[in-house]
Structure formats: structure tokens, C-alpha cells
Amino acid sequence: MEIKIRLETENDYYEVENLTREAFWVFPGREDGCDEHYLVYKLRTCPDFIKELDYVALIDDKITGNIMYSKCKIIDTNNIEHEIITFGPVSVLPLYQKKGIGTKLINFTLEKARELGYRAVMIYGHPEYYPRFGFKDAKEFNITTHDGKNFDAFMICELYKDALAGISGKGYISPVYYDLNADDVKEFDKKFSPK
């Protein structure tokens, strides 16, 4: 099974939104649907969105996965902003999960992010899964969430050695991740087949 990766195009938008909906619809502990497909839609128009890191994975010319990145930041104790990036959602159609698609998308785009000159990636993710890509607990970098917390799922990956040397403080992701109105999600969901 050959996995091809390319940038998302405008012609892919609906298909990517639908595959994201399929990937997240019945997530463990959340049986009432999802909002990640609406997040995908909103991200594309957000000023923090990084179009150069919006990739799809294909098998036999069928889009089976997607990863999107946006800018985020660390604000240090002197109130100086240091730009870094985050990714999410990472989506793979349920039929194609556990076949290496997500792994390939993440590895490929981390390398692209490095080539584009970004210093680090900050995520909220599964602490047993993401260390294989170089992610470490944000505590190791003396970085907390925007509200001063740390927990296992809050992780950072430096894209080159000592990329965050001398930088500590609070991490902030784009407001678009928090600005998903439930009524807007319901309205947006009408574009897709009922579940």
C-alpha cells in the first residue's frame, strides 16, 4: 500500500472536512458527534493558519488523511513572544487507521516545518503516542499552558537542537481552537450526510 502525500488544494476542502468528521465522529468518551470538521473549515481562514503545512495523504488517489498546522507562541517571563507552531487536527478515515498514514503525515510535515525554519511544535496529544516523533513533556522546557498548568498531554518537539534554549514561559495556541460555537457546528454539519 503506497501512501502519497501532497498539499491540500481548494478542490479537496469538502472531502477533507468529511474525512475529519468521519475520523472524529464517535471518539471514545464523546458519543455525541464532533466539531473537528468545523475546526478544519475555520482554520483555513484564520490568520494563524500555515497553508504550506496543510497536507493530505492519498492511497490509490483517494484522500485518506490530513494534517493542518497553525502558528502559536510562547510568552516568556519578560512578556516577549516567541513564535512556534502546532498541528491539529490530524485525521485519518476510520477504514485506513492503524496503517501508518498518521505517522507518515506527522513525520513528513515535521521535516517540512524544519525546512521552513520553524523552531518547535507544541501540541495537546496522547502522551504514549507522540514521544516517538520527538515530543517531550512541556515541563522539561519549563513551559506551561496559557493558564499555568502542565499535564502529560501538553508536549513540545524542538525541530532542531536547543531550539528553545533560554526560552520558558506560557504556551498559547490560536483562539480559533476555542472559538467553535455549538450552533455554528450544527449548522455546518448539515453539509454532510446525517448520522
Side-chain angles (χ1 to χ4, degrees), residues 162-192:
D162 297 327
L164 296 176
I167 298 173
S168 62
K170 296 181 177 183
Y172 293 81
I173 63 171
S174 176
V176 72
Y177 288 91
Y178 303 110
D179 190 26
L180 300 175
N181 177 284
D183 291 334
D184 293 341
V185 172
K186 279 184 187 172
E187 188 60 34
F188 182 74
D189 201 54
K190 291 177 183 176
K191 289 176 47 174
F192 306 94

Side-chain angles (χ1 to χ4, degrees), residues 150-161:
N150 272 109
F151 42 87
D152 291 345
F154 183 53
M155 294 176 279
I156 294 176
C157 174
E158 289 181 301
L159 294 176
Y160 55 87
K161 187 172 172 26

Side-chain angles (χ1 to χ4, degrees), residues 3-17:
I3 303 167
K4 294 181 182 174
I5 296 180
R6 65 161 171 79
L7 286 166
E8 183 191 41
T9 68
E10 197 169 331
N11 292 336
D12 302 326
Y13 285 6
Y14 179 83
E15 192 172 351
V16 168
E17 291 159 5

